[in-house]
Amino acid sequence: MKKKILGLTVFCLFLFTLAAPGMAAYKAEYRMSLVVEPTGPWGQGAQMFADLVKKRTDGRIVIKPYFRGQLHGEKQTNEFLLLQQGIADFCLGSTINWSTTVKELNLFSLPFFFHNDYKAVDALEASEAGRKIFRILAYKGAIALAWGENGFREITNNKRAINTPDDLHGLKIRVVGTPIFMDIFRSMGADPVSMDWGEALSALQSGTVDGQENPVASITIPYRLWEANKYITFWHYAIDPLILAASRETWEGLDRIDREIVSKAAREAARWQKKAAREGLGESSASIETLRKNGMEISLLTPAQFRAFRVKTRPVYDKWANDIGIDLVRSAERAAAPGETKKGRKGKKIER
Ligand code: X2X
């Protein structure tokens, strides 16, 4: 009998050890990686997430955002590796920066895929293609909790107004160090220079590069890019979603209740962040006013001008669609197509 009790106790202890990962001691501080400053919707959304989690877990989980690429030494295309290795516990990261590690994320950088159509972006993220991307991230070591947004990327420069692909000819444009952007800008005759965001600001100020491309509400305004660049073209050539994710190792170390709290806080913060990144763009063009007041000359493209850019970059789209995975791209195109997304878009034609 005694032997039986002893055996049972040992067995229970064994079960307890199996359950241990979820019950392991929590870290005193969980690190979160950010490429940008605390100002602007991107940085503020991350801070909101950290604050919500701390409050709702009564301080059990303290997340510290490390802004300005501090965790990756400003090598932003390494950010996903930080999640994989557990160096960062959380990230609110750009799909562009992670696309060097997760090739499927180049989907969002396909040139002129969307035309400033937020409903299509939301529809794609909520679709099977969006879910597939989250599964791929999980397989690669990061648990995606919510979609945020940097925004549609618009081009600025200090040389001339850009209204046609030819206007880009010879311009030195700073891009993130990912091959798809080199291909896109070369296809339009520009001279792309890959550079981390940390270096880009001084390169723009000193004139080492003529221009750059980034979203208006999240980057152009908070970083006061009009101090270096006079011209901006709203061409919406690529969307830059953000993903709020946890390192799988970190995730597995949290108990079930805390995972729920963290997931909910991520969704809430990302919803706020996405809304803020879209604020003032669309119909009420408060952002355009801000740019104009600060001396920027704004080019808004006609549908024909937009088409010229799309046609010029089409070979890059086709090449990258194959590299990304044609099934995923076609499924994303279907999800983003008018008629698939919610009411009001039926019957609108889209050219590919
Ligand atoms: O480097 C950029 O251009 C930025 C800030 O938008 C990203 O991190 C992708």
Side-chain angles (χ1 to χ4, degrees):
M1 183 65 182
K2 260 191 185 165
K3 258 191 180 166
K4 262 194 180 165
I5 293 175
L6 187 69
L8 198 65
T9 318
V10 171
F11 183 64
C12 287
L13 277 173
F14 172 68
L15 285 184
F16 182 77
T17 339
L18 282 186
M23 309 176 83
Y26 279 12
K27 299 182 187 178
E29 176 192 291
Y30 288 83
R31 299 194 285 190
M32 181 169 193
S33 175
L34 276 308
V35 167
V36 289
E37 299 267 352
T39 48
W42 187 346
Q44 288 165 354
Q47 189 62 57
M48 175 190 259
F49 168 64
D51 293 345
L52 285 174
V53 170
K54 185 173 177 193
K55 184 156 170 253
R56 292 177 185 172
T57 59
D58 299 317
R60 280 192 303 286
I61 302 177
V62 178
I63 298 170
K64 179 168 178 208
Y66 284 78
F67 294 101
R68 297 177 208 92
Q70 287 171 76
L71 286 186
H72 48 71
E74 293 189 0
K75 182 83 188 114
Q76 65 198 69
T77 48
N78 281 348
E79 195 176 52
F80 194 78
L81 302 177
L82 301 183
L83 278 178
Q84 285 183 317
Q85 294 161 3
I87 295 168
D89 299 289
F90 295 94
C91 275
L92 179 56
S94 155
T95 46
I96 297 173
N97 296 331
W98 298 1
S99 66
T100 45
T101 322
V102 186
K103 75 170 169 58
E104 289 82 358
L105 293 176
N106 283 297
L107 173 69
F108 301 101
S109 307
L110 284 173
F112 303 99
F113 182 108
F114 300 97
H115 188 208
N116 210 26
D117 187 343
Y118 292 117
K119 281 195 181 121
V121 174
D122 292 341
L124 195 167
E125 290 170 358
S127 74
E128 175 48 27
R131 287 190 293 276
K132 182 165 182 199
I133 285 172
F134 275 18
R135 287 198 297 276
I136 294 168
L137 294 178
Y139 176 73
K140 293 198 177 248
I143 309 300
L145 304 172
W147 293 97
E149 196 161 282
N150 188 11
F152 279 104
R153 299 179 71 91
E154 319 293 8
I155 188 158
T156 68
N157 83 97
N158 66 358
K159 291 274 194 254
R160 54 182 170 264
I162 298 172
N163 294 304
T164 68
D166 281 350
D167 294 330
L168 267 159
H169 201 85
L171 289 186
K172 275 201 166 74
I173 304 294
R174 174 271 169 181
V175 293
V176 187
T178 64
I180 190 168
F181 287 106
M182 301 301 281
D183 287 354
I184 295 171
F185 281 89
R186 284 195 184 125
S187 77
M188 294 184 283
D191 182 8
V193 183
S194 90
M195 197 181 279
D196 276 309
W197 182 237
E199 299 161 50
L201 289 169
S202 52
L204 287 163
Q205 292 286 359
S206 67
T208 312
V209 293
D210 303 316
Q212 63 84 50
E213 42 73 61
N214 250 301
V216 169
S218 300
I219 303 286
T220 310
I221 293 178
Y223 282 90
R224 304 174 64 81
L225 292 187
W226 49 77
E227 288 174 359
N229 283 179
K230 183 176 168 53
Y231 303 96
I232 181 164
T233 299
F234 280 72
W235 64 348
H236 326 303
Y237 87 117
I239 184 69
D240 183 6
L242 303 179
I243 297 177
L244 206 167
S247 158
R248 189 168 59 210
E249 204 181 306
T250 304
W251 191 246
E252 287 172 356
L254 302 180
D255 70 27
R256 194 181 50 79
I257 292 175
D258 285 337
R259 282 186 200 170
E260 271 170 30
I261 294 174
V262 172
S263 293
K264 191 158 177 280
R267 286 196 300 274
E268 275 177 47
R271 202 177 312 121
W272 177 88
Q273 188 281 324
K274 207 184 221 192
K275 191 161 173 272
R278 294 176 180 183
E279 205 92 326
L281 295 166
E283 281 150 33
S284 86
S285 50
S287 298
I288 294 193
E289 261 324 292
T290 306
L291 301 177
R292 206 167 265 139
K293 266 203 275 184
N294 284 287
M296 286 194 106
E297 202 180 298
I298 297 163
S299 297
L300 303 170
L301 300 183
T302 63
Q305 286 172 320
F306 173 78
R307 242 188 330 271
F309 282 104
R310 182 175 255 173
V311 168
K312 191 85 184 170
T313 52
R314 184 69 212 195
V316 179
Y317 187 111
D318 292 338
K319 171 188 178 283
W320 276 89
N322 282 315
D323 291 355
I324 292 162
I326 203 70
D327 292 346
L328 178 66
V329 173
R330 294 292 172 251
S331 145
E333 286 170 349
R334 280 192 301 275
E340 292 302 316
T341 55
K342 291 206 182 92
K343 71 175 170 43
R345 308 186 65 245
K346 282 211 167 101
K348 230 170 129 192
K349 275 208 178 135
I350 196 152
E351 300 156 50
R352 296 249 174 250

